[in-house]
Amino acid sequence: MIAWQNPAAFAGLLLLAGPVVIHLLRRRQAPRIVFPTVRFVDAAPTGAVRLRGPSDLGLLLLRLAILGVAVCAMARPVVLTSGRVNGWNARAVRAIVVDTSESMTASAAAAREAADAERQSAHEAIRIDTPDLREGLRRAAASLPIAQPGRREIVLVSDFQAGLLADADIAHVPRDTGLRFHRVGTATSSSRTFAGLRLFGDDRAGQQNVTLEGSRTIVDVRSSAGSATDGLQIVTTPEQADAIGALMRAVAVTGAAAPAASEPLIVIAGPLDRVPFGRRFEPTRISAPWMIRAVLRLRHDDELTAAAREVAETDGLSGDAAWVAVARSRRGEVVVRAAADGIALAIHVATTADSYLAAAVVRGALSARSGDVVDRFAEHEVLAIAGSTFASWSREASPVAPEMWRQLPDSDARWCWLAALGLLLLEAVIRRQRRQNASVEAQLEREARVA
Amino acid sequence: MTPRPHSLDPQLLASIGDLELVARVTVEGTVAGLHRSPFHGYSAEFSQYRHYRAGDDLKYVDWKLFARTDRIYTKQYRETTNLLAQIAVDASASMGYAGAAGPSKVAYARILAAAIAYIVAGQGDCAGLLVFDDAVRRYLAARAGQTHLRNLLVALSQVEASGRTRAAAALRRATDLLARRGLLVVISDLYDEDDGVDRELERAVKMGHEVAVFHVLTREELELPFRGDIEIEDAESGRRVLTNAAALSPRYRQEVGAFLERWQSRCAALGIDYTRVTTDMPLDRALRGYLLERATAAP
């Protein structure tokens, strides 16, 4: 069976009509010569017959064959023999995802060994190193369709701490793609204690201490040194000044991470031109990585997003090159935006300091800023994904579907081009021979005339 | 020894617009070396005898009479009449064919006719012109004089090939227009009803006229040098014949050869001077043979 990767090229077969028409037209009209008299001229039957057919049928067929083969080449044929498909099934095309998170530091060598072994046994292997196994799995699933035909498989190499993968992540992998899980490294202890968040308080900050004991999580909060508000400044219009304290207390009660002096936040509630900064306030475009990460988390903060949509009629915050939009009202107006103010992240809210939106912004900003810390908590996980879970997730790679020829990076067109080239050479040789014969004939005729 | 003149390239001569110049060049290149005039008067009639006077040309003394009478008498003749030469030029469409090399047949005929007229007029004789296709297209009665010659050459220079051929009728007319015995020069490709033309030529001979035929053709008409399939269209009738040149060629050459042979034989039988020329033949060569024969044949 022959499959065609570019069947639209067969429209080029219309070109085959060209040589036929030319060959027919060329001989349809014999040259007309006005002569003094036709009294000595007889009609020759061969001349009349020859005019009805194309000149040089052999050469015409050869030229048609050249065009036809070239059109086939442009249609990119793939010859699908059972041997070829069996060959595809016999080979493995593998994406190897290697966990490079902090918990894998001790197991890095073992992970590398496992990945190399998987690579060597595959016909084609793609290696993806990532600290985020979820993201690595997604990239692996996206890279396999463009690889060469073969049984597709994803191998994950990790310590598989609990929470790294879930059923939803596995469900996104195509059903015909095999899945294997290669565990390296084991938990050195079933219990671990680490420092959690510094918590925001209305007067003093609290420090979390987190203990993981098997499946139990114990959080102990102790008062910590330093002001709770170091690293957080809330500014508003003079008439709203009293609302700042209430705002902070509200945020503290609901719980939020404490600010940090090294990554300060400024929350501005109200019109900029009416807020007394006490200094020159010149916002600039965000560029610091922690600010970028904080703004991205803020945009995905569900509570903040919901609060913004609840905002009633208000003048939206006008566009300015320094500011980036963070949240919009239901009417699409920007009600929260962010910019850099020196080393601080400035977040401007369109509503007053006593609004729900302002509270959501402060709490969200504190949480967003501490997201880097929270992200590292997963590395302390002492539990691992159960073996039974792997059993349910693991599967063999499906046999290659015949349609996989569509993913072939190249086709068998080169053989067609080779054939076309060979035919072209043959045509050139025949054409030259014809010309030589014609000139020999002419020479003989001239000699006969002279004689 | 008179140096042989250079061959006169017909293509070159035909490209010169001035027919009088062309005629002069042609004649000078042709008649150089001819010791006797090729054309001469036909009538030199004896008138009477008179006694010899001192100074008379001795060639006119009748020696026989002197032998009989012992008296010297000189012959006197009537005024020598001029030669009347009527030049009939075929200007039908078939004469317009040019071929690959050389001028068209009608252009060649123009130069031939001009040269002959120039020679005749140069001797003080009378030259006339009759141009024909299927009828007499132009006629100039034979007269002497340079003015008439110029008029004749102008008329010749305006001759273009067109129309069909009816040479027999035109030749009959040309013959009838010769008031007395004279010379009828026919310049044509003779693609006409052979019997009719033959009849008129014979009639002209029988009427006492001297007839010269210049049979003008191109090299292509003799050899048919075409290749492959061709469609040949008759220049006069428009009839078309689809044929293959290679298949046609042998038979064509045979037919044309027979055609030429027939005319040569017939003219020889009638005592007509027949000269076959091709348009690639130098003019002096075309004329010289004929003129030499005439010059040696003159009394």
Side-chain angles (χ1 to χ4, degrees):
Chain A
M1 170 184 148
I2 299 179
W4 304 94
Q5 290 186 341
N6 181 27
F10 283 115
L13 285 173
L14 291 171
L15 293 172
L16 288 179
V20 176
V21 170
I22 289 168
H23 274 246
L24 284 173
L25 284 179
R26 202 169 66 185
R27 302 304 292 176
R28 195 165 296 286
Q29 293 176 357
R32 186 181 297 167
I33 299 165
V34 178
F35 212 57
T37 183
V38 295
R39 64 187 279 180
F40 309 116
V41 177
D42 297 327
T46 52
V49 168
R50 208 174 293 171
L51 281 175
R52 286 195 205 102
S55 71
D56 209 330
L57 191 61
L59 212 53
L60 171 63
L61 289 174
L62 186 56
R63 286 167 180 162
L64 288 176
I66 293 169
L67 266 178
V69 167
V71 167
C72 286
M74 284 191 285
R76 295 169 59 79
V78 176
V79 180
L80 292 175
T81 59
S82 56
R84 199 170 202 170
V85 175
N86 289 341
W88 290 344
N89 278 320
R91 59 193 192 194
V93 176
R94 200 168 283 154
I96 306 162
V97 182
V98 179
D99 184 356
T100 57
S101 62
E102 205 175 309
S103 64
M104 286 289 291
T105 308
S107 315
R112 198 165 45 245
E113 240 177 75
D116 288 344
E118 293 291 347
R119 181 197 286 273
Q120 277 165 16
S121 64
H123 173 79
E124 184 185 345
I126 307 159
R127 177 164 164 168
I128 299 167
D129 290 352
T130 175
D132 184 344
L133 213 57
R134 188 170 283 130
E135 187 254 347
L137 182 62
R138 189 178 44 76
R139 280 167 55 190
S143 68
L144 283 174
I146 58 174
Q148 290 189 34
R151 287 176 179 259
R152 292 176 186 159
E153 190 177 49
I154 298 174
V155 177
L156 296 116
V157 180
S158 172
D159 54 5
F160 295 111
Q161 289 173 309
L164 283 187
L165 289 174
D167 288 338
D169 303 314
I170 304 301
H172 283 123
V173 177
R175 293 300 308 170
D176 63 350
T177 302
L179 269 174
R180 274 194 299 116
F181 301 87
H182 191 117
R183 192 197 297 273
V184 294
T186 51
T188 54
S189 160
S190 62
S191 169
R192 188 176 293 156
T193 300
F194 57 91
L197 286 174
R198 234 176 120 246
L199 297 175
F200 182 67
D202 53 356
D203 53 353
R204 290 186 69 77
Q207 176 62 54
Q208 281 180 338
N209 284 323
V210 181
T211 302
L212 303 177
E213 271 185 11
S215 60
R216 288 175 66 209
T217 306
I218 303 162
V219 180
D220 178 26
V221 180
R222 304 221 174 166
S223 183
S224 74
S227 163
T229 56
D230 276 351
L232 174 65
Q233 183 185 5
I234 300 175
V235 290
T236 188
T237 55
E239 60 270 23
Q240 286 276 305
D242 292 339
I244 293 175
L247 175 58
M248 288 212 190
R249 279 195 295 280
V251 171
V253 162
T254 57
S262 59
E263 294 175 350
L265 296 169
I266 301 174
V267 177
I268 308 157
L272 280 177
D273 56 350
R274 296 190 55 230
V275 171
F277 285 96
R279 57 177 172 85
R280 193 177 175 80
F281 176 67
E282 287 180 343
T284 58
R285 211 159 169 78
I286 293 168
S287 60
W290 75 266
M291 292 187 195
I292 294 171
R293 286 195 294 271
V295 168
L296 288 174
R297 291 191 188 105
L298 265 178
R299 280 180 172 174
H300 289 94
D301 187 314
D302 294 337
E303 190 177 3
L304 172 59
T305 304
R309 289 179 66 76
E310 292 300 316
V311 171
E313 291 181 16
T314 183
D315 294 333
L317 299 172
S318 60
D320 187 319
W323 296 94
V324 295
V326 175
R328 294 175 185 272
S329 68
R330 189 169 296 155
R331 294 195 323 181
E333 294 154 343
V334 176
V335 292
V336 180
R337 59 181 182 173
D341 177 29
I343 64 166
L345 174 63
I347 303 171
H348 184 198
V349 186
T351 54
T352 53
D354 60 357
S355 66
Y356 172 49
L357 179 61
V361 164
V362 171
R363 185 168 182 272
L366 290 171
S367 298
R369 194 208 61 75
S370 65
D372 291 345
V373 175
V374 172
D375 285 347
R376 287 196 288 274
F377 286 174
E379 291 305 312
H380 300 294
E381 179 59 67
V382 296
L383 293 176
I385 297 173
S388 58
T389 308
F390 288 138
S392 68
W393 287 348
S394 298
R395 55 181 184 242
E396 294 288 324
S398 302
V400 167
E403 289 73 33
M404 213 167 268
W405 56 263
R406 291 180 203 277
Q407 273 92 50
L408 274 176
D410 53 12
S411 64
D412 295 321
R414 61 186 176 281
W415 305 114
C416 292
W417 287 122
L418 210 59
L421 194 61
L423 290 173
L424 258 176
L425 287 171
L426 183 63
E427 193 264 353
V429 166
I430 292 175
R431 201 162 16 97
R432 194 182 341 168
Q433 250 175 16
R434 298 256 197 277
R435 225 179 296 143
Q436 279 173 355
N437 290 346
S439 69
V440 165
E441 268 179 40
Q443 176 65 18
L444 288 173
E445 210 168 301
R446 276 195 297 274
E447 285 168 4
R449 246 187 279 141
V450 169
Chain B
M1 184 175 168
T2 309
R4 196 177 168 78
H6 293 297
S7 290
L8 299 170
D9 179 53
Q11 183 92 313
L12 178 62
L13 289 174
S15 66
I16 300 171
D18 187 342
L19 199 55
E20 186 175 347
L21 173 64
V22 168
R24 186 165 67 241
V25 167
T26 304
V27 167
E28 285 170 5
T30 306
V31 302
L34 285 178
H35 297 294
R36 296 189 64 173
S37 165
F39 299 115
H40 51 84
Y42 284 97
S43 302
E45 295 178 359
F46 172 73
S47 173
Q48 61 182 9
Y49 287 106
R50 66 170 173 78
H51 288 283
Y52 174 79
R53 290 181 199 146
D56 282 347
D57 195 340
L58 288 178
K59 75 175 179 185
Y60 293 117
V61 170
D62 191 336
W63 296 108
K64 286 180 184 170
L65 188 58
F66 171 72
R68 284 205 301 270
T69 61
D70 215 20
R71 287 196 179 133
I72 303 175
Y73 292 97
T74 311
K75 284 182 187 174
Q76 285 190 316
Y77 293 87
R78 267 199 209 113
E79 184 181 20
T80 306
T81 56
N82 293 350
L83 168 70
L84 276 188
Q86 191 75 275
I87 306 169
V89 177
D90 182 353
S92 61
S94 63
M95 291 291 285
Y97 186 72
S104 64
K105 289 190 287 186
V106 72
Y108 199 94
R110 282 200 297 261
I111 301 172
L112 258 183
I116 294 170
Y118 195 90
I119 296 171
V120 168
Q123 294 177 162
D125 289 322
C126 304
L129 177 68
L130 186 138
V131 180
F132 68 91
D133 43 38
D134 59 353
V136 174
R137 207 197 289 174
R138 187 79 190 265
Y139 170 69
L140 286 174
R143 287 202 178 90
Q146 287 299 309
T147 307
H148 174 75
L149 174 64
R150 263 189 215 104
N151 292 339
L152 188 147
L153 294 177
V154 166
L156 257 179
S157 67
Q158 293 166 351
V159 170
E160 296 293 342
S162 67
R164 304 187 68 151
T165 311
R166 279 186 62 202
L171 291 178
R172 187 180 191 87
R173 184 100 174 102
T175 307
D176 291 342
L177 287 169
L178 275 170
R180 49 184 166 81
R181 287 170 60 206
L183 169 65
L184 176 64
V185 178
V186 180
I187 307 175
S188 171
D189 53 14
L190 299 178
Y191 287 143
D192 193 13
E193 182 199 334
D194 291 356
D195 292 342
V197 173
D198 183 59
R199 248 194 327 271
E200 294 309 322
L201 290 176
E202 187 179 358
R203 177 170 172 270
V205 169
K206 282 184 176 168
M207 283 173 70
H209 299 303
E210 196 173 334
V211 181
V213 170
F214 287 87
H215 196 174
V216 182
L217 297 160
T218 61
R219 184 67 54 190
E220 283 75 9
E221 288 168 277
L222 297 179
E223 297 170 355
L224 201 73
F226 307 117
R227 293 174 55 82
D229 296 337
I230 51 176
E231 189 180 34
I232 297 182
E233 180 179 328
D234 189 299
E236 292 185 14
S237 66
R239 187 182 149 224
R240 292 178 198 159
V241 180
L242 202 59
T243 188
N244 178 270
L248 172 67
S249 186
R251 187 173 162 75
Y252 176 89
R253 290 182 192 187
Q254 198 180 347
E255 296 278 327
V256 167
F259 166 72
L260 297 172
E261 178 57 37
R262 192 162 53 244
W263 274 112
Q264 186 161 9
S265 312
R266 188 63 185 140
C267 289
L270 292 173
I272 293 172
D273 290 321
Y274 173 84
T275 307
R276 186 187 310 153
V277 297
T278 51
T279 54
D280 57 353
M281 186 185 293
L283 270 297
D284 58 334
R285 195 175 132 204
L287 273 175
R288 182 172 277 273
Y290 166 67
L291 295 176
L292 265 174
E293 210 172 298
R294 279 198 60 84
T296 51

